Amino acid sequence: MATQNIKVVTRKPLRWWEKLYIPQVLAGMKITLGIMLRKPVTLKYPEERPNIPKGYRGVPTLVKDPSGREKCVSCQLCEFVCPAKAIRVTPGEIDPAAPHADVVEKAPKAFEINMLRCIYCGMCQEVCPEEAIWLQNEYSLNGFSRASMIHDKAKLYELGGTLPDKIRKWDRKAEARARASAH
């Protein structure tokens, strides 16, 4: 059997001053007094909201373009890329009588995000070619049941609202088709 090298540590006995623990108590009081004299950093939530840093990834939502049209074209890339499998998209057809039916071929019949499974990674927003899904600054998400935490298409559009569209892809496609039919 191998012998182990054991090092014995001898400690000095405490002096009478150290046995009273007065230096440690005074050091603790000094820290407490220093913290008491600082300006408080707490917020009175929910009346006061914290400043959200730029690039914060909050609740994923669906957005519409400034004309009020759905930007989602049911490509299902967000569903395929979601690591938590929280997104479910059911593709649907566009009504031929819709004002933008000549530009867009599909729209989601159903779109659900299970917020209990979502990990707020932002991959759905990154992969969306139409910029239809956005992670908002909302961080206070709650519900009374599991079913209320599964957001359907209507709830996602309610949370997302309308975002400005600099590209105006659909408007340019409609204008190009109008010019082509005029010739």
Side-chain angles (χ1 to χ4, degrees), residues 55-60 78 81-87 117-126 135:
Y56 176 79
R57 290 185 253 169
V59 175
C78 56
V81 79
C82 182
K85 304 292 182 210
I87 301 174
R117 295 192 76 178
C118 182
I119 58 174
Y120 305 99
C121 64
M123 292 178 76
C124 54
Q125 179 179 344
E126 294 294 325
L135 274 68

Side-chain angles (χ1 to χ4, degrees), residues 25-173:
V25 170
L26 291 176
M29 294 299 286
K30 178 182 172 187
I31 292 171
T32 302
L33 187 61
I35 290 173
M36 285 176 49
L37 297 177
R38 281 192 221 156
K39 182 181 172 191
V41 293
T42 55
L43 295 175
K44 295 177 180 148
Y45 186 83
E47 291 83 21
E48 295 178 16
R49 298 287 179 140
N51 293 328
I52 303 297
K54 188 175 181 181
Y56 176 79
R57 290 185 253 169
V59 175
T61 62
L62 288 174
V63 295
K64 294 184 178 184
D65 73 350
S67 303
R69 297 180 292 214
E70 289 184 78
K71 291 178 95 176
C72 180
V73 293
S74 303
C75 66
Q76 295 179 297
L77 288 174
C78 56
E79 181 177 357
F80 297 137
V81 79
C82 182
K85 304 292 182 210
I87 301 174
R88 296 283 174 256
V89 181
T90 307
E93 298 296 324
I94 297 244
D95 181 24
H100 59 284
D102 60 336
V103 184
V104 183
E105 298 150 4
K106 293 191 310 184
K109 185 179 358 175
F111 197 112
E112 290 182 345
I113 299 180
N114 186 340
M115 296 301 172
L116 296 173
R117 295 192 76 178
C118 182
I119 58 174
Y120 305 99
C121 64
M123 292 178 76
C124 54
Q125 179 179 344
E126 294 294 325
V127 79
C128 184
E130 300 294 329
E131 296 182 347
I133 190 164
W134 280 87
L135 274 68
Q136 303 291 346
N137 287 342
E138 184 65 34
Y139 56 87
S140 179
L141 184 66
N142 53 34
F144 291 110
S145 67
R146 287 181 176 266
S148 69
M149 294 303 289
I150 298 174
H151 291 181
D152 63 350
K153 188 168 110 173
K155 177 72 173 178
L156 291 168
Y157 277 121
E158 178 187 325
L159 290 172
T162 303
L163 284 184
D165 188 6
K166 299 173 196 153
I167 300 170
R168 296 182 33 246
K169 175 175 135 180
W170 293 350
D171 292 339
R172 287 190 286 140
K173 278 186 176 181

